[in-house]
Amino acid sequence: MANTEQQYRQDILDVGKLIYQKGWVAANDGNISVRLDERRVLCTCTGVSKGMMTPADLIVCDLEGNKIEGARERTTEIAMHLTIYQMRRDVSAIVHAHPPVATGFAVAGRPPTLALLPEVVVRLGCVPLAEYGLPGTPALADGMLPYIPKYDAILLGNHGSVCYGEDVYKAFFKMETVEHFARVTLVAELLGGPKVLSKHEVGKLFEARERYGVKSKNRMEPGRPVVAEDMEAAEAASSDRLNLTRDELITLIEEALRSRGVLT
Ligand SMILES: [Zn+2]
């Protein structure tokens, strides 16, 4: 049975409470929206804590961002939501928040794209990091454009995270996976560095999506996610250390000494 608009409104209030209680938004941060039909989007207003919203704090906009219903002002980040709805017909709900660990990765310019946890690879592929864009302006969505068609969870440079899906709870759970993954990655780094899965193992996880009923638009591609072989290649490329056998080293030293007349 299709959800009623009343239910969508309640879902937004409930998920707003959850993201506030989890500490993913401070003060009036974050915004949540649901696509009601072909031309209307229900979204949170600006200037309200997402954990303390009442039904009067929700407004309805058209797909150009013009307010149709509601007394409050629309969020300035509505343009980001509308861009996602326009590019992804399969998306019906969006959650944007600033979960602190994932946002830490975004602020550090570190995309959490390593292949570390099977469930993240299966569900999301990876979490790309979009270039910074000034919040409340069209520039915010510009950096996301390359990733929206394929990815359901994106980090926003120096800002936060946005996740989307078929309903507001699916979008919320993706945000939960992103923050959990960021926390696990951070702990692994504190413990000496994560062990990245091999290309072969990651390939098997992408194949397993069908078994788990995961519909995702991304496929395995170079660097997304980053596999063990990518790490080794990057390390080799960035390192100027020479790996020599003992005999090779002796030969090199002897040649150097001969060229300077020390050895004959
Ligand atoms: Zn934000």
Side-chain angles (χ1 to χ4, degrees):
M1 197 174 70
N3 277 338
T4 61
E5 189 174 323
Q6 191 59 36
Q7 184 61 52
Y8 291 134
R9 287 177 180 269
Q10 189 57 50
D11 289 348
I12 290 181
L13 298 189
D14 291 347
V15 166
K17 277 200 184 78
L18 279 171
I19 64 172
Y20 179 70
Q21 285 162 359
K22 282 177 164 286
W24 296 350
V25 285
N28 300 330
D29 296 346
N31 30 74
I32 305 168
S33 71
V34 168
R35 193 204 298 261
L36 292 174
D37 54 38
E38 286 299 302
R39 55 177 198 89
R40 296 182 308 145
V41 169
L42 179 65
C43 64
T44 53
C45 68
T46 190
V48 66
S49 163
K50 302 306 167 295
M52 304 171 192
M53 291 187 292
T54 68
D57 294 324
L58 301 182
I59 59 166
V60 178
C61 285
D62 64 19
L63 286 180
E64 279 73 52
N66 305 305
K67 189 166 80 173
I68 301 173
E69 264 180 69
R72 306 288 306 267
E73 275 311 305
R74 59 190 192 149
T75 165
T76 53
E77 286 170 341
I78 187 68
M80 170 177 73
H81 293 241
L82 298 175
T83 300
I84 294 167
Y85 287 128
Q86 279 156 10
M87 293 179 78
R88 290 282 299 269
R89 303 296 308 159
D90 58 318
V91 167
S92 294
I94 300 170
V95 174
H96 163 59
H98 304 165
V101 183
T103 302
F105 275 82
V107 166
R110 295 266 315 271
T113 46
L114 299 182
L116 300 178
L117 292 173
E119 64 272 21
V120 176
V121 174
V122 170
R123 281 188 212 145
L124 301 175
C126 71
V127 185
L129 171 60
E131 261 182 55
Y132 173 78
L134 185 65
T137 73
L140 174 62
D142 287 351
M144 301 165 56
L145 297 180
Y147 305 117
I148 294 172
K150 288 187 190 170
Y151 293 92
D152 295 350
I154 301 173
L155 285 195
L156 312 174
N158 292 77
H159 184 162
S161 173
V162 63
C163 298
Y164 34 93
E166 295 156 43
D167 61 54
V168 76
Y169 276 96
K170 288 201 169 91
F172 165 77
F173 287 131
K174 284 173 190 168
M175 185 74 77
E176 191 168 43
T177 297
V178 169
E179 179 65 356
H180 188 252
F181 180 48
R183 289 165 70 107
V184 170
T185 304
L186 180 61
V187 172
E189 292 200 353
L190 294 173
L191 295 174
K195 288 180 76 174
V196 182
L197 294 171
S198 70
K199 188 175 179 182
H200 179 65
E201 290 300 332
V202 173
K204 286 200 279 188
L205 291 170
F206 274 87
E207 282 168 22
R209 280 178 167 176
E210 209 180 322
R211 218 165 54 237
Y212 291 113
V214 173
K215 288 181 219 138
S216 184
K217 295 192 176 298
N218 60 71
R219 298 286 172 266
M220 196 170 165
E221 56 184 278
R224 295 207 188 96
V226 174
V227 297
E229 289 83 345
D230 296 330
M231 301 288 285
E232 285 158 17
E235 204 175 311
S238 69
S239 170
D240 52 7
R241 284 177 69 89
L242 275 178
N243 285 320
L244 296 172
T245 64
R246 183 183 168 83
D247 285 346
E248 286 167 343
L249 180 61
I250 290 170
T251 307
L252 257 184
I253 293 170
E254 283 176 352
E255 278 173 11
L257 293 174
R258 264 192 211 99
S259 71
R260 284 164 177 75
V262 181
L263 266 185
T264 54

